[in-house]
Amino acid sequence: GVAMCFLSDDKGVTWRQSDSEIEAPSKGGAGLQEPGVIELKDGRLMMLSRTSLGCQMRSWSDDGGVTWSPAERTTLISPLSPSTFERIPSTGDILVAYNDHSDITPEYRGRRTPFHVAISKDEGLTWEHLKTIEDDPAGWYCYTAMEFVGDNVVLGHCAGGAGIGGLSRTQITLIDIDWIYK
């Protein structure tokens, strides 16, 4: 998996590929997969991608996505599972939903569980206020849609598990943003 962006300067009428193609370090057999991009307060862009390297990888663009820095490791320790992240409208901080594997027991290794959210107050450099949303060892929590409604965030995500398949159930979770900050 190689990550890249496609850019439009005419509101989507035409598209062009970014000048950079971002690759995971050579030990990352799965490459970079399912990237997401967010605009930072200073105008730069940050991309997060899932990898088989045990963490989300990050890349930066200073020119609107035309070129990207080499991928680097983040402190978002996770299996080969995508993250979803958006800016919290009421605070300006970034909220991420992902499978946190920073402190897991063997039964979780490689699985898309447990499911957490965390907040970055420094534009994606560090993450805090880690909260568990789901932690069933047989669960499968991923492919999250995120929408802010008033003082809440709504997460729509896969929530499968043993006997029903990992992608066979969708769950909608409503979370009070203030709870995340506590």
Side-chain angles (χ1 to χ4, degrees):
V2 175
M4 68 189 80
C5 289
F6 283 81
L7 313 165
S8 177
D9 298 319
D10 56 12
K11 298 182 181 179
V13 174
T14 60
W15 294 89
R16 61 186 165 85
Q17 184 178 327
S18 60
D19 292 347
S20 298
E21 291 185 354
I22 313 146
E23 297 185 26
S26 61
K27 293 181 182 176
L32 300 176
Q33 299 180 7
E34 300 174 321
V37 176
I38 191 168
E39 184 174 0
L40 302 177
K41 291 176 181 176
D42 64 6
R44 293 178 303 136
L45 301 177
M46 179 182 70
M47 177 188 295
L48 293 178
S49 299
R50 78 179 196 161
T51 70
S52 59
L53 296 170
C55 70
Q56 299 289 309
M57 296 293 283
R58 176 177 50 215
S59 184
W60 309 96
S61 176
D62 295 326
D63 56 14
V66 175
T67 60
W68 291 87
S69 67
E72 63 185 24
R73 297 179 73 84
T74 69
T75 57
L76 295 172
I77 307 303
S78 66
L80 183 58
S81 183
S83 65
T84 297
F85 50 100
E86 297 284 341
R87 190 168 302 283
I88 302 170
S90 61
T91 66
D93 296 331
I94 300 172
L95 179 68
V96 66
Y98 73 111
N99 302 115
D100 178 49
H101 278 203
S102 60
D103 187 27
I104 61 165
T105 56
E107 72 265 21
Y108 287 100
R109 197 159 318 283
R111 297 178 182 258
R112 291 183 176 185
T113 187
F115 185 51
H116 287 86
V117 294
I119 292 171
S120 177
K121 296 180 179 179
D122 58 8
E123 299 295 90
L125 294 175
T126 61
W127 301 89
E128 57 186 279
H129 300 290
L130 184 69
K131 299 291 188 201
T132 303
I133 306 303
E134 299 283 353
D135 66 354
D136 179 355
W140 181 280
Y141 309 105
C142 56
Y143 298 117
T144 306
M146 184 181 293
E147 182 66 32
F148 294 93
V149 179
D151 295 331
N152 300 292
V153 61
V154 179
L155 303 177
H157 55 90
C158 290
I164 63 167
L167 302 176
S168 63
R169 185 181 332 173
T170 299
Q171 179 171 314
I172 306 298
T173 304
L174 180 70
I175 303 169
D176 183 327
I177 294 169
D178 287 341
W179 173 77
I180 302 170
Y181 278 95
K182 292 180 182 176

